Amino acid sequence: MHLLAVCYLLATVNGQPSTYTAPGTFPTSLYSKYYNDPTATTAQPQPVISDPVTHQEFPFALTDPNKIPQNNTVDPHPLPPIASSSQLLQQAITQIKSIVSNAIFADNSCARCQASLEVAKFLALGAPEQGPNLAVALCEYFNYSSTCVANYGQLALGPIFTQVLAYADVGGYDGELICSEFLGLCPLPSTSPIDLSGWFTKPKPNPLPPQRKPTGERLKVLHVSDLHIDPRFANGAEANCTSGLCCRENAYNSHSPHTPILPAPRFGYFLCDSPYALIAATLGAIPPLTGTENTGFDFTLLTGDLLAHDPNYQLSRVYNEYAEVALYDLIKRMLGLGPVYATLGNHDSYPSDLAAPLSLGGDLGGQFSWLYDHVTALWEYEGWLLAAEVEFSRAHYAAYMVKRADGLRIISLNTNLWYRSNYFNYINASYPDTSGMMRFLTDELQAAEDAGDRAWIIGHVPSGWDGTNGLLNPTNLFYQIVDRYSPHVIANIFWGHMHEDEMSIFYSNNGTNFSVETAQTLSWMGPSVTPLTKLNSGFRMYEVDSGTFEVLDAYTWISSVDTYSALGSHGPIFEFEYSAREAYGTNIPWGANDPLNATWWHLVTEQMETNSSLVSDVWNKYQGKSSVLVPSCTGECVTARICYIRSGSSSIAQENCPRGYGSVQ
């Protein structure tokens, strides 16, 4: 029996208990010191945590739910250097030419937007120190936000905007994309053509190398994603708020601004991120439910987003580092042996969503090196990466490749480099690889092909699904890289970010024909631990053949958040939700040991086309982790979901699928 819990054996899944009840009190033995009484149920525990990399002790003021820090004043982002008069002249000539030749100026709203960006660009070049002031002034003039200084001033996103304006072609594709994505004033530019010559050093083998033979031995691989720990979670605060992130002391419901309509349960709620209590309960439930109490997992995938959804003006580098230290430490201690392969999420950066390309050069290109230095040092400290892997990773956006002894290569990407909300991606946006991330990927995949190894790719922001997260050009290039190295090298792809249970299929010939013959590779999107938004908490385990590294089955467990308000002396109950093979494979002729690969999942989508209830009743339920708040999916929604499953890039989703049905939140 697990040391931190009491298990109730009601039924079994593969010989393991299908339900687990977490303890009602916080396991105080997890930490040696606390800033408060960790046994008190009126507040979340506040452990005293020290950073093994910087050797500093994080102060209580960092996570005090009663006094959340405002703008971080220690380490603002650098501004671009002042341009010389010759640079200003050349930029003026270049931008004017771009404006004159751009046919989109026939549309007045789009023209006004890009012309405004031109003015802002010259200010960013000539007087960069005034860039944040311009951002604040425009925010206030257009009544864009009630917290303009906090959001867009010198200590917030103002310097980031100034950098982007200084280097972006605002009169061309970059400006058109900015005006489309953030202001809706321009049509979304189409995917740019890609010249693939020079991208691949060798043609795709024809015929493909012989497939690896299955061993019959099954590996247990855990997939945990989007923990979003909230150490500022306030028990009893408004959990059903209308003010932003709920379960905070400053949260309120506009219908009852002074008295909580729903006091925050100590294990969390649908509109809140994960308190310490939920994180500890989830990690405590995983070993007994998956049968890994004594053995641990063969390895674990941790696909990003450690921090809560704080506004940027309440974030800081030290708060980011706190979450990394706290969660990596808990995962290492509570999940036992076995390496963890982690990747960065958009909420693992400060400010959130951002990663600057090294091509900016100097201080600008290296302004996030503090993050990569710290996180990779922690991965080495926990024993998850070797020193040589860390040295490479810290210089490559925290991306890395690990070659396991069993012939599987894990390739981790920093997908903020194609995320729509990363402002730096709007510099030279027509080119799909300004960061060099795709070149790193192709080099690693070619090395795997040459060695006869298989590869798993992990990242946070998905390349496809409904097309609302990844930018068109880089995800289009990614899809074609996957096409080149599938199915003989790339066995599986794993993402997080969506908080929901989803997947996408990759097809040959850049997805121009969706068929069982062209299905090549699959990407899995792991369910989140955080309930945000309107979801249950969950995690997944894969059974994987040790020879082919194909997934043989995927098992998902959940905890019903709607029960948290009524919990008595015990903690939340975690229960088995479903097996992918059993839920979707009833009418598919498939051997018991055949993999749940892209071919199998395409056959599932064909079943969905003939039996819409497989989407409306089954897929829709599991996409939302069986939350009581999942809305129905009928009519065009069914068609859209099938289309999203078949869309491995944002480009394919935008061109083929109905919009607006991607999420159950």
Side-chain angles (χ1 to χ4, degrees):
M1 186 170 291
H2 197 267
L3 294 177
L4 301 178
V6 178
C7 288
Y8 293 91
L9 186 58
L10 301 181
T12 61
V13 179
N14 286 350
Q16 304 305 321
S18 64
T19 62
Y20 167 96
T21 301
T25 58
F26 185 80
T28 57
S29 60
L30 284 176
Y31 299 96
S32 59
K33 291 195 301 180
Y34 294 83
Y35 287 116
N36 64 352
D37 178 4
T39 64
T41 59
T42 56
Q44 289 293 315
Q46 292 287 345
V48 178
I49 293 178
S50 296
D51 190 325
V53 175
T54 63
H55 306 294
Q56 68 169 322
E57 188 173 273
F58 296 105
F60 174 58
L62 186 67
T63 59
D64 183 356
N66 297 306
K67 191 176 181 181
I68 296 175
Q70 301 300 300
N71 284 110
N72 168 45
T73 60
V74 177
D75 38 32
H77 284 262
L79 293 166
I82 296 175
S84 66
S85 58
S86 61
Q87 286 176 310
L88 286 173
L89 175 61
Q90 185 58 47
Q91 284 294 333
I93 295 172
T94 301
Q95 294 304 319
I96 290 171
K97 288 181 178 179
S98 180
I99 291 172
V100 170
S101 62
N102 196 328
I104 202 66
F105 268 72
D107 177 84
N108 288 334
S109 63
C110 188
R112 285 196 300 269
C113 181
Q114 289 190 265
S116 299
L117 291 180
E118 296 278 11
V119 176
K121 180 181 181 70
F122 285 117
L123 182 65
L125 289 168
E129 72 280 0
Q130 295 297 330
N133 294 335
L134 176 65
V136 171
L138 292 175
C139 172
E140 293 174 343
Y141 180 79
F142 290 106
N143 197 26
Y144 190 74
S145 169
S146 60
T147 54
C148 292
V149 174
N151 280 314
Y152 306 113
Q154 175 67 42
L155 298 175
L157 290 172
I160 305 297
F161 290 166
T162 307
Q163 292 179 52
V164 173
L165 288 168
Y167 292 99
D169 176 17
V170 298
Y173 187 95
D174 294 346
E176 193 177 344
L177 192 59
I178 291 170
C179 290
S180 172
E181 290 285 357
F182 298 107
L183 299 172
L185 297 176
C186 286
L188 179 66
S190 59
T191 306
S192 301
I194 296 178
D195 181 3
L196 290 177
S197 60
W199 268 102
F200 308 121
T201 58
K202 298 178 182 179
K204 188 171 184 176
N206 186 16
L208 294 176
Q211 294 184 352
R212 280 177 162 236
K213 295 185 181 300
T215 63
E217 176 191 357
R218 296 195 176 202
L219 305 177
K220 285 188 174 183
V221 178
L222 177 67
H223 189 178
V224 178
S225 196
D226 295 86
L227 286 91
H228 288 290
I229 188 171
D230 185 3
R232 297 164 174 171
F233 186 103
N235 291 6
E238 180 60 75
N240 192 29
C241 73
T242 58
S243 56
L245 184 62
C246 301
C247 301
R248 292 289 185 87
E249 283 294 354
N250 62 346
Y252 64 88
N253 187 303
S254 57
H255 299 293
S256 178
H258 304 297
T259 303
I261 292 176
L262 178 63
R266 58 196 170 100
F267 288 96
Y269 192 64
F270 288 117
L271 304 181
C272 314
D273 271 322
S274 306
Y276 258 106
L278 179 59
I279 296 289
T282 303
L283 295 178
I286 289 173
L289 287 174
T290 57
T292 57
E293 290 176 287
N294 299 319
T295 61
F297 293 95
D298 290 281
F299 57 91
T300 293
L301 306 179
L302 183 60
T303 50
D305 270 9
L306 306 180
L307 280 77
H309 292 78
D310 294 76
N312 273 316
Y313 61 83
Q314 293 179 352
L315 298 174
S316 62
R317 290 189 191 180
V318 68
Y319 188 52
N320 181 294
E321 292 167 349
Y322 170 93
E324 292 169 1
V325 172
L327 286 177
Y328 292 151
D329 171 66
L330 276 178
I331 288 168
K332 179 66 177 289
R333 290 193 287 127
M334 297 187 72
L335 295 184
L337 300 175
V340 174
Y341 303 119
T343 191
L344 291 182
N346 60 298
H347 284 279
D348 297 332
S349 180
Y350 165 69
S352 62
D353 307 333
L354 302 183
L358 295 173
S359 57
L360 285 177
D363 290 341
L364 300 185
Q367 62 191 291
F368 292 93
S369 60
W370 63 271
L371 169 61
Y372 310 141
D373 290 347
H374 187 262
V375 75
T376 56
L378 284 176
W379 293 342
E380 182 179 13
Y381 175 82
E382 300 294 357
W384 299 339
L385 291 186
L386 299 176
E389 295 161 349
V390 166
E391 190 64 24
F392 179 91
S393 183
R394 62 189 292 272
H396 292 80
Y397 314 102
Y400 60 85
M401 186 282 293
V402 171
K403 183 176 180 180
R404 292 170 47 83
D406 55 15
L408 176 65
R409 298 185 184 219
I410 306 290
I411 303 174
S412 176
L413 304 179
N414 183 343
T415 54
N416 283 353
L417 295 163
W418 68 39
Y419 187 35
R420 288 177 185 265
S421 296
N422 178 11
Y423 301 110
F424 290 106
N425 290 337
Y426 295 82
I427 300 172
N428 195 17
S430 60
Y431 183 66
D433 191 31
T434 56
S435 67
M437 181 65 61
M438 300 302 183
R439 174 56 62 195
F440 156 74
L441 176 62
T442 54
D443 288 347
E444 295 297 341
L445 290 171
Q446 186 59 57
E449 182 179 82
D450 292 343
D453 291 339
R454 302 221 73 191
W456 281 10
I457 299 172
I458 65 172
H460 182 69
V461 178
S463 59
W465 186 243
D466 64 345
T468 59
N469 288 281
L471 285 169
L472 299 181
N473 290 333
T475 62
N476 178 37
L477 175 58
F478 176 78
Y479 196 103
Q480 298 191 53
I481 292 172
V482 172
D483 185 352
R484 161 63 181 84
Y485 292 99
S486 295
H488 59 300
V489 176
I490 302 172
N492 283 285
I493 302 169
F494 300 89
W495 310 125
H497 186 64
M498 304 301 286
H499 294 200
E500 302 175 7
D501 185 340
E502 301 160 353
M503 67 264 309
S504 288
I505 304 168
F506 291 73
Y507 298 84
S508 60
N509 300 315
N510 202 26
T512 53
N513 175 27
F514 306 129
S515 69
V516 70
E517 291 81 16
T518 61
Q520 295 196 113
T521 306
L522 185 76
S523 67
W524 306 78
M525 283 157 257
S528 66
V529 172
T530 184
L532 199 69
T533 306
K534 301 180 181 179
L535 302 167
N536 285 328
S537 181
F539 60 90
R540 176 183 293 146
M541 183 185 76
Y542 305 100
E543 285 188 333
V544 178
D545 185 89
S546 64
T548 64
F549 303 107
E550 298 279 7
V551 172
L552 301 177
D553 208 345
Y555 306 98
T556 304
W557 287 265
I558 59 168
S559 181
S560 297
V561 174
D562 57 298
T563 66
Y564 288 4
S565 292
L567 291 176
S569 59
H570 63 78
I573 296 174
F574 293 81
E575 59 185 337
F576 179 72
E577 186 187 26
Y578 79 103
S579 148
R581 182 181 289 271
E582 293 178 0
Y584 297 108
T586 304
N587 296 316
I588 297 176
W590 212 249
N593 292 312
D594 290 339
L596 305 190
N597 56 16
T599 303
W600 187 83
W601 278 104
H602 181 82
L603 292 173
V604 171
T605 63
E606 290 183 351
Q607 292 289 322
M608 290 175 171
E609 288 176 321
T610 59
N611 178 13
S612 63
S613 66
L614 194 56
V615 175
S616 60
D617 297 341
V618 182
W619 176 276
N620 191 57
K621 173 185 176 181
Y622 293 148
Q623 183 176 333
K625 294 176 286 182
S626 299
S627 168
V628 296
L629 300 181
V630 170
S632 62
C633 176
T634 58
E636 189 178 51
C637 175
V638 172
T639 304
R641 295 278 173 81
I642 297 171
C643 190
Y644 301 153
I645 296 172
R646 293 174 175 175
S647 299
S649 73
S650 291
S651 180
I652 292 174
Q654 292 276 356
E655 292 174 5
N656 296 287
C657 303
R659 301 184 185 183
Y661 301 101
S663 176
V664 300
Q665 299 176 47

